[in-house]
Amino acid sequence: MSAKLIAIKINLEMKKMKPKKPKTQGQLNKKAAQGNQKQKPSFKQKFKPRQQKKTDNKPNKAEMRKVIRQQKAAEEEAERSRIKTEKEARIKAYKKQRLEKTKAISKRTQRGQPLMKDRMQLLLKQIEEMKRN
């Protein structure tokens, strides 16, 4: 462990002892560097400005994400509305069936006795449905 620390300290000391190169302003012209002429910095642009690509046909990524997000939202909304309508239809059918059953059971004679004819038909329907399934 101590040998590693000593090696690191020696490396740091060696780096400090290296002579530093003088900083220059820009690159020197080749002609000025060859002769005894006065040196002038080169002001050429290293990086050329980018030319705008023709992307009129394609929308950029942000617009694409926005469009995709809107499509997903529309699909989800359509799915929700479809599920909602199906659920409402099932509830409506159940309420209708329940109403028929209640009417059949609640029918009475003039003396207040339950009508067995309607009750028997209701039981017959239930048995037929059980056989189908």
Side-chain angles (χ1 to χ4, degrees):
M1 189 71 158
S2 62
K4 288 183 179 179
L5 291 174
I6 293 170
I8 293 171
K9 286 182 182 179
I10 292 171
N11 285 338
L12 291 174
E13 289 176 9
M14 294 297 283
K15 287 181 181 178
K16 289 180 184 176
M17 297 173 94
K18 288 183 182 177
K20 295 183 180 179
K21 295 180 181 178
K23 294 182 180 179
T24 59
Q25 292 182 352
Q27 294 177 345
L28 302 176
N29 290 334
K30 290 180 182 178
K31 290 179 183 177
Q34 290 173 358
N36 291 334
Q37 298 174 354
K38 198 172 187 181
Q39 295 179 352
K40 296 181 183 177
S42 174
F43 292 106
K44 291 182 181 177
Q45 290 182 348
K46 289 184 179 181
F47 303 104
K48 295 179 182 177
R50 292 185 178 182
Q51 295 177 353
Q52 292 181 350
K53 295 179 181 178
K54 295 180 181 179
T55 57
D56 297 336
N57 300 347
K58 298 180 183 177
N60 59 18
K61 287 184 181 180
E63 291 175 2
M64 288 295 290
R65 281 190 224 118
K66 188 176 180 181
V67 169
I68 292 169
R69 206 176 300 128
Q70 287 175 348
Q71 288 175 348
K72 284 183 180 178
E75 289 173 5
E76 289 173 0
E77 183 64 31
E79 183 70 17
R80 277 190 233 117
S81 64
R82 184 185 62 80
I83 291 170
K84 188 176 180 181
T85 54
E86 287 177 359
K87 187 176 179 181
E88 288 174 357
R90 281 183 299 198
I91 291 171
K92 203 172 192 179
Y94 174 74
K95 284 185 178 180
K96 186 178 178 182
Q97 183 183 7
R98 188 77 180 168
L99 183 67
E100 289 175 6
K101 187 177 181 181
T102 328
K103 279 185 179 179
I105 291 175
S106 64
K107 284 188 178 178
R108 306 262 171 187
T109 61
Q110 288 179 345
R111 295 187 180 182
Q113 299 296 319
L115 274 173
M116 287 295 140
K117 178 184 171 185
D118 292 335
R119 288 190 180 209
M120 289 297 172
Q121 286 179 350
L122 185 67
L123 287 171
L124 182 65
K125 279 184 184 178
Q126 287 178 351
I127 294 168
E128 288 174 355
E129 286 177 17
M130 290 172 114
K131 282 187 176 180
R132 286 183 204 157
N133 296 334

